[in-house]
């Protein structure tokens, strides 16, 4: 169980670390929880820590996000580096969420070292997750980009699309960023129309997921097709089509909210 926090306990027991190097996640190939490393690995490996953020408690143990120096040597027989996509679907959802949280807070601290208003160096607040500028008083918190992600359905069929910028031959649900002044539902209607040319209504909220690519919050919905022919925006969508729930192309894993939407619809049609 994870208990989020900003301030480490004063009498901390040996903890755990989620380690990044050059922006890539360091995984222990011998561990059943490969993204969680014992804190003593840092000292034993002689790793030089460039950034450290306390995340909270994992089953009562202090948990930290670390960025180690590029010069720190990793044992190739035990550790491997890669991006978060490489562990998606291979580790439990809670661990993937923790790794995503770690990556986001490290990137946020790195990108807010200096004040955007006056240029002074920012300092990390010890009481809450914030970067503060003493000269001008501005405070920066980790920024989250809200997005909608929706499964459009028509009877026993669902509309799935292949992203033009995604290398794998995978079909997924439609998604887009919420713009200033929009509600999530307005974004959904606009994005579906822009990306595939169809109209929808009957919007139903499904759930949300933190999506660390790089800092999104995905708001998941179902929507019902009401009209229009599929016309793909070629800059976003390589191809899109209607698929019967019993005959699907390759789709995202259940660890992603897109995969969860698809599986929930399939389950609803099988009962």
């Amino acid at each position: 169980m994870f208990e989020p926090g900003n301030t480490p306990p004063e009498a901390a027991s040996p903890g755990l670390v989620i380690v990044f190097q050059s922006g890539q996640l360091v995984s222990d190939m011998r561990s059943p929880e490969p993204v969680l490393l014992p804190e003593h690995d840092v000292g034993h490996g002689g790793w030089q820590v460039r950034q450290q953020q306390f995340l909270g408690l994992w089953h009562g143990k202090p948990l930290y996000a670390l960025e180690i120096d590029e010069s720190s040597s990793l044992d190739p027989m035990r550790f491997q580096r890669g991006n978060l996509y490489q562990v998606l679907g291979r580790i439990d959802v809670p661990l993937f969420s923790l790794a995503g949280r770690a990556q986001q807070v490290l990137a946020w601290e790195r990108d807010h070292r200096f004040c955007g208003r006056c240029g002074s160096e920012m300092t990390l607040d010890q009481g809450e997750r914030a970067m503060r500028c003493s000269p001008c008083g501005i405070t920066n918190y980790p920024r989250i980009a809200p997005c909608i992600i929706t499964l459009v359905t028509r009877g026993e069929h669902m509309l799935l699309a292949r992203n033009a910028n995604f290398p794998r031959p995978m079909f997924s649900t439609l998604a887009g960023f919420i713009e200033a002044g929009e509600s999530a539902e307005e974004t959904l209607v606009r994005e579906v129309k822009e990306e595939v040319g169809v109209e929808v209504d009957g919007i139903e909220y499904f759930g949300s997921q933190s999506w660390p690519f790089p800092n999104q919050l995905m708001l998941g919905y179902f929507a019902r097709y009401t009209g229009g022919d599929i016309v793909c925006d070629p800059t976003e969508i390589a191809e899109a089509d209607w698929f019967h729930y019993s005959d699907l192309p390759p789709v995202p894993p259940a660890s992603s909210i897109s995969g969860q939407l698809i599986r929930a619809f399939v389950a609803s049609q099988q009962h």
Side-chain angles (χ1 to χ4, degrees):
M1 183 178 68
F2 177 61
E3 302 173 49
N6 299 321
T7 305
E10 293 183 4
S13 59
L16 300 167
V17 290
I18 299 176
V19 178
F20 291 83
Q21 186 181 48
S22 301
Q24 292 189 306
L25 177 67
V26 177
S27 299
D28 183 350
M29 294 181 288
R30 301 175 183 174
S31 172
E33 295 181 331
V35 304
L36 298 179
L37 309 183
E39 191 174 8
H40 61 70
D41 279 351
V42 179
H44 290 175
W47 301 343
Q48 300 299 311
V49 178
R50 297 180 60 182
Q51 286 180 262
Q52 177 174 301
Q53 285 267 354
F54 176 69
L55 300 178
L57 301 177
W58 175 255
H59 294 282
K61 293 184 177 182
L63 176 63
Y64 299 86
L66 302 183
E67 175 78 26
I68 61 174
D69 193 79
E70 292 87 347
S71 63
S72 296
S73 178
L74 301 176
D75 179 358
M77 300 302 294
R78 179 181 172 191
F79 299 109
Q80 67 176 5
R81 295 190 324 180
N83 60 41
L84 289 181
Y85 273 118
Q86 292 175 296
V87 298
L88 180 62
R90 294 171 48 202
I91 60 176
D92 292 341
V93 172
L95 290 181
F96 178 77
S97 297
L98 281 179
R101 181 189 293 258
Q103 177 178 266
Q104 290 178 71
V105 297
L106 290 172
W108 159 74
E109 180 187 355
R110 183 179 63 246
D111 294 344
H112 290 83
R113 290 179 55 209
F114 298 96
C115 177
R117 177 185 289 170
C118 72
S120 299
E121 188 168 358
M122 306 281 278
T123 57
L124 184 65
D125 190 280
Q126 299 302 310
E128 61 176 339
R129 204 171 306 282
M131 297 289 287
R132 301 192 186 277
C133 176
S134 297
C136 74
I138 194 171
T139 300
N140 282 320
Y141 298 94
R143 295 194 174 183
I144 305 299
C147 308
I148 62 89
I149 184 164
T150 182
L151 180 62
V152 179
T153 63
R154 185 184 66 183
E156 296 183 342
H157 292 75
M158 63 185 87
L159 197 163
L160 300 176
R162 185 168 64 82
N163 192 294
N165 302 308
F166 195 66
R168 299 180 188 175
M170 180 182 293
F171 284 77
S172 185
T173 51
L174 302 172
F177 288 98
I178 298 175
E179 296 185 356
E182 279 188 328
S183 69
E185 292 77 14
E186 289 169 338
T187 299
L188 188 155
V189 172
R190 174 183 57 79
E191 284 287 345
V192 171
K193 182 68 174 177
E194 289 177 356
E195 291 193 352
V196 293
V198 304
E199 298 175 352
V200 297
D201 67 5
I203 297 170
E204 179 184 347
Y205 179 70
F206 172 76
S208 64
Q209 182 180 36
S210 175
W211 194 241
F213 300 107
N215 60 341
Q216 300 166 26
L217 175 64
M218 307 299 291
L219 306 175
Y221 292 87
F222 292 107
R224 185 175 62 244
Y225 167 83
T226 59
D229 297 324
I230 295 177
V231 180
C232 296
D233 175 359
T235 63
E236 297 282 343
I237 305 298
E239 57 181 317
D241 207 345
W242 293 102
F243 295 91
H244 192 268
Y245 75 87
S246 64
D247 186 20
L248 295 178
V251 296
S255 51
S256 71
I257 194 168
S258 177
Q260 293 164 25
L261 282 162
I262 293 168
R263 285 160 178 79
F265 179 72
V266 169
S268 72
Q269 298 301 303
Q270 292 175 334
H271 290 87

